Amino acid sequence: MSEEDLPSPEELLTYGEDLLLRWQEHDLLDSIEMRGNRRMRTRAGVAYLVSRRIELNPRLLAQNPEMVHECFAHELAHIVVYARHEKKARAHGKEWRSLMRQVGFEPEAVHYMDVSAFRTRRRSPRRRRLWA
Ligand SMILES: [Zn+2]
């Protein structure tokens, strides 16, 4: 699959809204930002927990398109856990695993190595970007 065939960031944000509703996390609606990052090499995705931004690796995911939604949910669950517990919860701890199971994914952390608590400046909410 080519990168152009991946779900658009906008489609993934719509999917994310569905996940947030299922997680009863209405406060985060409209505050999530998503973009592709072609500079990522081995990671499928990263979650910037404070700025609530998800970056996914379009080159890697184009080779594993069946993973796109799970990867997005994986990163979004990190943002939800951080919003609820800040540093009191472990990255792939029981709170995160529970969220993943709630939306039908077997919690699986090993493929990702993805969490970043870097404090990046907050951007305007839901700025939409292309993958490239
Ligand atoms: Zn993770």
Side-chain angles (χ1 to χ4, degrees), residues 108-125:
E108 174 63 76
V110 292
H111 299 314
Y112 294 91
M113 303 191 303
D114 55 356
V115 182
S116 172
F118 295 150
R119 291 175 183 268
T120 59
R121 201 151 50 84
R122 190 102 174 75
R123 293 166 190 257
S124 57

Side-chain angles (χ1 to χ4, degrees), residues 74 78 92 96 112 114-115:
H74 179 122
H78 280 312
H92 301 112
W96 179 85
Y112 294 91
D114 55 356
V115 182

Side-chain angles (χ1 to χ4, degrees), residues 1-56:
M1 181 185 271
S2 76
E3 293 175 26
E4 293 82 53
D5 297 323
L6 289 169
S8 68
E10 194 168 50
E11 286 174 286
L12 288 173
L13 284 170
T14 300
Y15 171 65
E17 287 174 0
D18 180 52
L19 296 177
L20 290 170
L21 292 173
R22 290 159 78 183
W23 288 330
Q24 305 277 313
E25 199 58 59
H26 305 86
D27 290 349
L28 290 184
L29 290 171
D30 290 329
S31 74
I32 305 297
E33 188 185 349
M34 148 74 210
R35 56 174 290 194
N37 181 347
R38 304 191 83 256
R39 294 190 307 274
M40 278 196 281
R41 293 179 181 278
T42 56
R43 297 182 300 188
V46 62
Y48 293 91
L49 304 177
V50 176
S51 53
R52 296 176 180 161
R53 187 171 83 250
I54 293 168
E55 293 184 1
L56 298 182

Side-chain angles (χ1 to χ4, degrees), residues 36-132:
N37 181 347
R38 304 191 83 256
R39 294 190 307 274
M40 278 196 281
R41 293 179 181 278
T42 56
R43 297 182 300 188
V46 62
Y48 293 91
L49 304 177
V50 176
S51 53
R52 296 176 180 161
R53 187 171 83 250
I54 293 168
E55 293 184 1
L56 298 182
N57 181 335
R59 291 187 294 182
L60 198 143
L61 290 171
Q63 293 168 30
N64 303 274
E66 74 287 354
M67 294 296 296
V68 173
H69 289 88
E70 180 176 348
C71 185
F72 184 84
H74 179 122
E75 304 302 342
L76 188 58
H78 280 312
I79 290 173
V80 170
V81 169
Y82 186 80
R84 290 177 177 175
H85 307 285
E86 298 205 343
K87 290 173 179 160
K88 294 190 210 87
R90 292 166 59 98
H92 301 112
K94 63 181 188 300
E95 299 87 357
W96 179 85
R97 294 196 302 269
S98 168
L99 290 177
M100 290 298 280
R101 286 198 190 95
Q102 272 180 50
V103 294
F105 295 115
E106 194 54 39
E108 174 63 76
V110 292
H111 299 314
Y112 294 91
M113 303 191 303
D114 55 356
V115 182
S116 172
F118 295 150
R119 291 175 183 268
T120 59
R121 201 151 50 84
R122 190 102 174 75
R123 293 166 190 257
S124 57
R126 298 209 48 174
R127 176 186 284 184
R128 295 191 169 94
R129 291 171 182 247
L130 300 174
W131 280 94

